[in-house]
Amino acid sequence: MYRFLASTRWLGWLLLVCIFAAACVGLGKWQMNRLDEARAANDLVKANYDAPALDFQQARPFFSTLPEDRAWTPVDMKGSYLPEDTRIVRNRTTNGQPGYEVLVPFQTDEGTRVIIDRGWLPIGDDSAGRPDVIPAPPKGQVDITARLKVGEPAVRRSAPKGQVASIELPALEEDLGYPIATGAYGVIADEKPSPATAPTALERPSIDEGNHLSYSLQWFAFGVLSFIGLGYAARQQARLNREDAQEAAEAAAAGTDVVHSAYRAPRQRTHRRKGNEPTDEELEDAYLDRFEDQAHH
């Protein structure tokens, strides 16, 4: 009944289903990997974001190379801002609103210059492409606490003078024209003395795993369903073959021919009347055949 499965056509369908299922498994594993990455990032936020701050001497190596497990570590620093070298980062959103982030170099008492992200500003109303006002940082000696982040990759976008397209620390160092720490920068958490006005503090990182688990399970399910679909199609084909074989046997016993189609829709069987008289359907077919022959001649 299922010998047709060894045909070239059905083996080809099996190969296509196997390829599709393999792709689904690959996509499912990719989503699981993204889930693992999201969980690891969440664990870092939970472990480091509210941890006690390190002093600058303890954290100094992190500004050269920031280990992955040290992201969001708070660091206390003493020094002064360099407001004349302020840069703003384009295309930043907070609570779904577009705007900018404000970067200001901070020179520590130890002489190291560190980039500090002081927060977010909305798009300006007075002039397009820049905020209306950039609040100045505190003057003179300042005590700050900042959480460490690794720099961002380069993007293929230009920016007007005084602005940058991403927090790419080596490019920012070149733009400023003097050495800065390129292994990490700081997101401001606290400033003393506090300024009268300041940019909006950046949002706490979201602790969210996303939809990766459900997407992964969906891909795995699609792979399984593809084999179920192939099995269903094979069962339907076997049923059609069985019906064709039965009709062929009936036609052979009646001395008539029957045309088989491997992909035909199921059709109702016709039963001969008593005395082996033709059915109404057969009479109609015979009439149509004679009509077509007359039309051709």
Side-chain angles (χ1 to χ4, degrees):
M1 187 186 309
Y2 287 93
R3 286 179 296 178
F4 64 88
L5 293 176
S7 67
T8 301
R9 174 176 293 167
W10 280 92
L11 289 176
W13 281 115
L14 177 60
L15 177 61
L16 288 176
V17 168
C18 289
I19 293 173
F20 176 76
C24 289
V25 170
L27 290 168
K29 289 182 176 180
W30 173 64
Q31 287 291 346
M32 291 300 293
N33 290 337
R34 294 193 63 188
L35 175 62
D36 291 340
E37 293 172 359
R39 287 174 174 172
N42 292 342
D43 290 342
L44 285 179
V45 174
K46 294 175 183 177
N48 296 339
Y49 196 86
D50 295 318
L54 303 177
D55 62 47
F56 181 78
Q57 291 299 337
Q58 292 176 297
R60 184 191 288 270
F62 300 159
F63 287 96
S64 297
T65 302
L66 181 64
E68 290 185 8
D69 62 350
R70 285 296 190 172
W72 300 110
T73 297
V75 178
D76 288 334
M77 291 176 274
K78 298 179 183 295
S80 57
Y81 282 108
L82 306 176
E84 65 277 10
D85 294 327
T86 296
R87 299 290 187 271
I88 59 175
V89 192
R90 299 171 60 82
N91 302 316
R92 301 292 162 136
T93 58
T94 291
N95 295 322
Q97 296 182 342
Y100 310 90
E101 289 178 21
V102 182
L103 305 180
V104 185
F106 183 84
Q107 181 163 321
T108 67
D109 289 344
E110 292 78 7
T112 303
R113 295 186 182 97
V114 177
I115 296 300
I116 300 298
D117 189 332
R118 297 193 64 239
W120 179 86
L121 295 174
I123 293 176
D125 296 324
D126 296 338
S127 58
R130 62 184 64 253
D132 290 338
V133 178
I134 302 176
K139 296 180 179 180
Q141 186 74 10
V142 183
D143 294 342
I144 70 170
T145 300
R147 295 184 174 93
L148 300 185
K149 288 188 67 177
V150 69
E152 299 174 354
V155 296
R156 295 182 178 179
R157 291 195 303 267
S158 60
K161 185 175 178 57
Q163 301 186 20
V164 293
S166 72
I167 309 176
E168 183 195 2
L169 297 175
L172 192 56
E173 179 181 54
E174 183 178 353
D175 180 44
L176 292 172
Y178 52 74
I180 63 171
T182 56
Y185 70 99
V187 176
I188 196 67
D190 187 37
E191 293 175 319
K192 294 178 181 177
S194 299
T197 58
T200 302
L202 298 185
E203 297 175 304
R204 183 188 182 99
S206 174
I207 306 296
D208 184 10
E209 294 182 355
N211 297 320
H212 303 304
L213 179 59
S214 61
Y215 290 158
S216 177
L217 295 177
Q218 287 176 22
W219 281 117
F220 291 142
F222 290 155
V224 173
L225 288 174
S226 64
F227 285 102
I228 294 175
L230 181 65
Y232 177 78
R235 183 177 178 183
Q236 291 295 100
Q237 185 64 70
R239 181 180 62 80
L240 294 177
N241 290 349
R242 186 170 58 251
E243 290 181 356
D244 282 345
Q246 185 174 352
E247 290 182 2
E250 292 175 356
T256 60
D257 294 329
V258 63
V259 178
H260 299 289
S261 173
Y263 301 100
R264 65 167 173 79
R267 57 192 179 208
Q268 284 187 319
R269 297 192 197 127
T270 56
H271 300 279
R272 289 196 173 266
R273 297 172 180 170
K274 293 181 180 180
N276 205 31
E277 296 180 359
T279 64
D280 293 339
E281 291 84 353
E282 290 173 335
L283 290 173
E284 183 179 353
D285 290 342
Y287 173 78
L288 292 175
D289 290 341
R290 288 197 302 271
F291 179 77
E292 290 180 357
D293 289 342
Q294 292 175 1
H296 285 114
H297 296 290

